[in-house]
Amino acid sequence: MMRPKATPLTTRERLHALLRELNLKGMQRVLDAELDQAERDGVPAAEVVQRLLTEQASFQRERAMVNRVARAHLPWQWTIDTFPFQQQSGVNKAQILGLAGLDFVRRAENLVLIGGTGTGKTGIAMGLLRQACVNGWRGRFYNAQALLDELYASLADRTTTRLLTALSRMQPLCIDELGYLNLKPEQVNAFFRLMDQRYGRVSTIITTNLEYSAWYGLFDNKPLVDALLDRLQHHCITIRIEGPSLRASTATDAPAQTAASRAPKRATTPTAQKSR
């Protein structure tokens, strides 16, 4: 008994198979529409190829941006656009929107936000970090105690050098709630090594409830704190937030919830795109 011959694949089916094999999802999702239009309007082959490649490039940029935001490990999807400026009198809106232009990141300047609990310093830091990730940089958010604990753990398995190398490349690195921490001398030394490696090369964003003078009590090592502040403040923007707690009203919780449901924004200008 003769088996029926297999129906040969059409040209479109072969194209779809090739695009799947090459993982060109951006091109595959618009292939039929572009070919239909080409057949209907007599579009030149070169124009069809150009449109398909443009779609693929856009797809890859979008996916890369989403991945950068995900790898930043932001605990909440705050954005600068959703920060409740109207409820925080201690924040200069024009100054924060200026920082969202990311010139301080391009100049490898540091940013230190000093303020009481609930004043919005973490929200501003997360919004700026997210903005940087959307615009092409690879940054990371850390709770200060978690970062110092990770540095301490790396001493046991002798991976500190590798960890410091990875952390020194993050642009920007956001260290949140540098305040009343439980620190060992080894953690203090590792933190200084990290800041020394980042000095003058990449931006660090720090939020804290402590004035610089109180850092001496936190780290309990005057020569090291002198050296740390010398490096940190050399090219640094310091913002002090003296305003009410945003947690005082349930209405101020809305920006965080609203922001979480928003899709990441694409960079608005080609010059903002930059990978580090």
Side-chain angles (χ1 to χ4, degrees), residues 140-151:
R140 175 69 192 270
F141 179 95
Y142 268 101
N143 171 270
Q145 186 68 65
L147 172 62
L148 290 161
D149 288 346
E150 188 170 330
L151 288 169

Side-chain angles (χ1 to χ4, degrees), residues 58-190:
S58 176
F59 175 83
Q60 290 181 340
R61 284 194 297 268
E62 182 78 16
R63 185 171 59 178
M65 181 266 290
V66 171
N67 287 339
R68 286 193 302 272
V69 172
R71 290 171 182 171
H73 293 276
L74 292 162
W76 305 285
Q77 293 302 317
W78 280 69
T79 70
I80 293 300
D81 291 339
T82 57
F83 185 85
F85 291 103
Q86 71 281 2
Q87 293 160 321
Q88 182 46 277
S89 58
V91 171
N92 184 325
K93 181 178 180 179
Q95 182 183 27
I96 302 305
L97 293 180
L99 290 172
L102 304 175
D103 283 341
F104 80 100
V105 177
R106 296 183 185 91
R107 295 191 296 262
E109 293 179 346
N110 299 317
L111 173 64
V112 177
L113 298 156
I114 302 175
T117 300
T119 52
K121 55 188 184 296
T122 297
I124 292 172
M126 287 192 299
L128 292 173
L129 172 57
R130 186 178 184 279
Q131 185 78 358
C133 292
V134 167
N135 282 272
W137 280 280
R138 295 179 175 88
R140 175 69 192 270
F141 179 95
Y142 268 101
N143 171 270
Q145 186 68 65
L147 172 62
L148 290 161
D149 288 346
E150 188 170 330
L151 288 169
Y152 185 71
S154 72
L155 296 171
D157 56 13
R158 299 181 180 181
T159 59
T160 305
T161 299
R162 185 193 315 160
L163 176 59
L164 288 174
T165 298
L167 291 172
S168 67
R169 293 172 179 168
M170 293 175 179
Q171 171 76 323
L173 176 65
C174 181
I175 304 172
D176 188 45
E177 296 296 349
L178 188 67
Y180 300 104
L181 308 175
N182 296 316
L183 301 179
K184 299 177 176 63
E186 296 87 350
Q187 290 174 302
V188 174
N189 291 332

